[in-house]
């Protein structure tokens, strides 16, 4: 229940970020939002699962388009709010060409996604593997 309550303001904040500014910059705004907690410790698989489920439930309150990009950004932001992180990913599948965004658990598996998510090749993972980046001395 705590996850559901916490998800409501996060979903509204994500919707505000999506709506603010020029349409052509929407993707980059949502990616930056999804990567805000990239230096936090990784979320467990169950924490990531709770976050995704809570966001999907809270998003039903919005009278606007809410798809995988907004969903994954809000779930990542919710995890940041509880001082955890999950890798945000964006991928492509072919025949027909389609795009998808999701968050991955610490083992790299998509969280609360259908089995066909395995068909998507991650093309954009801007927040990288988390704490391992810091250990290697890479800049966040």
């Amino acid at each position: 229940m705590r996850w559901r309550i916490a998800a409501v303001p996060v979903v509204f904040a994500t919707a505000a970020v999506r709506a603010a500014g020029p349409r052509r910059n929407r993707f980059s705004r949502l990616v930056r939002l999804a990567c805000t907690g990239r230096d936090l410790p990784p979320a467990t698989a169950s924490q990531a699962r709770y976050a995704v489920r809570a966001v999907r439930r809270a998003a039903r309150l919005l009278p606007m388009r809410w798809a995988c990009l907004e969903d994954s950004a809000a779930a990542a932001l919710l995890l940041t709010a509880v001082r955890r992180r999950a890798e945000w990913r964006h991928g492509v599948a072919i025949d027909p060409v389609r795009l998808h965004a999701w968050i991955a658990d610490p083992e790299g598996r998509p969280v609360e996604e259908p089995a066909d998510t395995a068909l998507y090749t991650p093309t954009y993972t801007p927040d990288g593997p988390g704490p391992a980046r810091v250990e290697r001395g890479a800049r966040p």
Side-chain angles (χ1 to χ4, degrees), residues 46-110:
S46 64
Q47 288 172 325
R49 197 170 40 254
Y50 289 141
V52 171
R53 288 178 183 170
V55 162
R56 288 181 180 162
R57 189 168 188 107
R60 295 178 192 167
L61 302 170
L62 297 175
M64 60 185 280
R65 175 194 171 275
W66 191 266
C68 61
L69 178 59
E70 294 83 5
D71 198 38
S72 60
L77 184 61
L78 179 55
L79 286 168
T80 299
V82 298
R83 309 296 299 155
R84 293 286 179 234
R85 72 177 300 279
E87 278 189 53
W88 182 86
R89 294 192 178 169
H90 188 259
V92 63
I94 56 171
D95 200 18
V97 174
R98 54 205 185 276
L99 302 172
H100 188 51
W102 67 94
I103 62 170
D105 67 11
E107 287 78 41
R109 294 182 304 253

Side-chain angles (χ1 to χ4, degrees), residues 108-129:
R109 294 182 304 253
V111 176
E112 289 293 309
E113 293 293 331
D116 71 343
T117 304
L119 300 173
Y120 290 85
T121 302
T123 58
Y124 194 51
T125 57
D127 57 347

